[in-house]
Amino acid sequence: MKNKINALLKEVEGFSAESLEQLETFRIKFLGKKGLVPALFADFKTVVPEERREMGQLINTLKQSVQNKIVSLKDTLDQQSDLQDSGFDLSLPALSPMGTRHPLSIVRNEIIDIFSRIGFSVSEGPEIEDDFHNFTALNFPEDHPARDMQDTFFIEKDPDLALRTHTSSVQVRVMEKTQPPIRSISPGRVFRNEAISARAHCIFHQVEGLYVDENVSFTDLKQTLFYFARELFGENTKIRFRPSYFPFTEPSAEMDVSCNICGGKGCNICKYTGWVEILGCGMVDPNVLEACHIDNKKYTGFAFGMGIERITMLKYQVNDLRLFFENDLRFLKQFEAAR
Ligand code: DAH
């Protein structure tokens, strides 16, 4: 009897029903007047007194598990039939996700992807930043006019807090907490007190890059950015560097890529020069390394920073930066097919 009950318990456990009719047949088989459970209770009379306690418990367990099974299967079947009545076809494949990625996210992800393939990893920092991380550690001298290069939204004087004007502040945060080798890429939102126009906005996005190790040279900078430009704009892309000035790099440069619209022949996007500027870069100034407690006798590094809006405008030939912030579906839907 014990073996029989155990076998029935297994059967109940493994049972499932696809319809209410099947479930009813199951119920009758076990709990019906002539069902298996009443039959077991009838046989119980013949059980020897020493085994009665155990057998009684077993039969009750079986009865209970049949009842539980019925309740839970009925629940599931009821839900399914509700769904069927509601007209849902559960066998249909899922719809593709609603909505699309914003063009700025598409390009940001692509930039991160390109650099992560050569060992850079993402780091982020706060949008509300203190004077030290946004300016001082980056070698902007106190009260120096260089701070006016970036029209800052100040929040508070003491402590000195502002909305970060560039993602270069994340360089400082990364170097403060990590010793070289460092290969970091930092995307994020930045803020400047500028009038909004087709070419400028008070909120925009940048990606900052930083590479610090022993023996890092300008050659490494050039090769890294050359690789990046070809990955992003196509393998025939050329690059050129023009000397520039940033307080946190020495020497500093701006990098142009050959115009991806006209292939360098000259068009209105590149103002008939064949070149478009895409980023600022340079060798990390030893003062910056020192401010972040990195041995500037042992280590050198390069850094670069670019505006995501600008790159997106070039890549997709968008001629008004304000479009990125208006969320007009007619604009956003054009990026549906992009990654
Ligand atoms: N922070 C600069 C800006 O907002 C961009 C930049 C230039 C970043 C040169 C760098 C760099 O890391 O080396 O205009």
Side-chain angles (χ1 to χ4, degrees), residues 3-229:
N3 288 344
K4 188 174 166 195
I5 300 176
N6 279 330
L8 288 173
L9 269 168
K10 277 226 170 68
E11 184 185 334
V12 172
E13 217 173 275
F15 177 74
S16 75
E18 271 155 30
S19 64
L20 288 169
E21 292 75 44
Q22 275 183 19
L23 187 60
E24 179 60 7
T25 312
F26 170 81
R27 190 192 65 78
I28 294 170
K29 176 176 171 190
F30 282 90
L31 304 180
K33 259 199 189 129
K34 295 183 184 148
L36 294 163
V37 173
L40 284 167
F41 277 120
D43 288 351
F44 183 68
K45 293 185 197 103
T46 66
V47 173
V48 290
E50 311 81 82
E51 287 181 5
R52 284 202 159 193
R53 201 180 139 86
E54 192 191 359
M55 286 309 137
Q57 274 174 0
L58 259 179
I59 299 172
N60 275 319
T61 308
L62 176 66
K63 186 176 172 188
Q64 195 60 51
S65 81
V66 173
Q67 282 167 342
N68 290 345
K69 192 77 182 186
I70 291 172
V71 170
S72 88
L73 285 176
K74 188 159 180 341
D75 243 27
T76 319
L77 288 167
D78 281 351
Q79 275 175 24
Q80 281 175 8
S81 84
D82 281 356
L83 276 171
Q84 272 156 17
D85 293 348
S86 71
F88 286 119
D89 181 352
L90 295 179
S91 64
L92 280 177
L95 291 174
S96 57
M98 306 225 309
T100 56
R101 278 208 196 288
H102 193 280
L104 295 177
S105 305
I106 294 171
V107 171
R108 179 202 55 209
N109 291 349
E110 195 171 346
I111 295 171
I112 292 174
D113 236 43
I114 293 172
F115 281 104
S116 62
R117 291 203 287 275
I118 53 170
F120 282 70
S121 51
V122 173
S123 24
E124 287 179 349
E127 292 177 354
I128 295 176
E129 194 48 285
D130 53 44
D131 181 86
F132 178 76
H133 292 91
N134 198 77
F135 292 122
T136 307
L138 288 165
N139 203 32
F140 285 79
E142 207 71 50
D143 299 319
H144 189 278
R147 294 188 188 217
D148 295 340
M149 275 167 63
Q150 312 191 334
D151 303 297
T152 312
F153 283 118
F154 292 101
I155 295 178
E156 197 171 285
K157 194 76 199 122
D158 197 15
D160 239 324
L161 290 178
L163 296 178
R164 69 178 173 197
T165 59
H166 52 183
T167 42
S168 301
S169 56
V170 188
Q171 269 191 38
V172 179
R173 293 199 171 265
V174 170
M175 286 192 277
E176 276 175 335
K177 57 174 200 285
T178 340
Q179 282 295 309
I182 295 171
R183 271 169 291 182
S184 139
I185 188 100
S186 316
R189 213 171 358 204
V190 300
F191 309 84
R192 288 188 200 173
N193 191 358
E194 294 201 32
I196 296 170
S197 71
R199 304 182 58 91
H201 208 289
C202 54
I203 301 177
F204 55 103
H205 300 78
Q206 288 188 331
V207 175
E208 183 80 13
L210 175 70
Y211 186 5
V212 185
D213 202 350
E214 287 177 48
N215 301 319
V216 176
S217 70
F218 206 91
T219 316
D220 300 311
L221 162 72
K222 275 176 149 178
Q223 275 308 317
T224 305
L225 294 177
F226 187 34
Y227 152 81
F228 165 68

Side-chain angles (χ1 to χ4, degrees), residues 284-297:
V284 180
D285 192 300
N287 291 343
V288 176
L289 295 175
E290 192 184 319
C292 304
H293 312 295
I294 287 183
D295 183 350
N296 60 15
K297 301 272 174 320

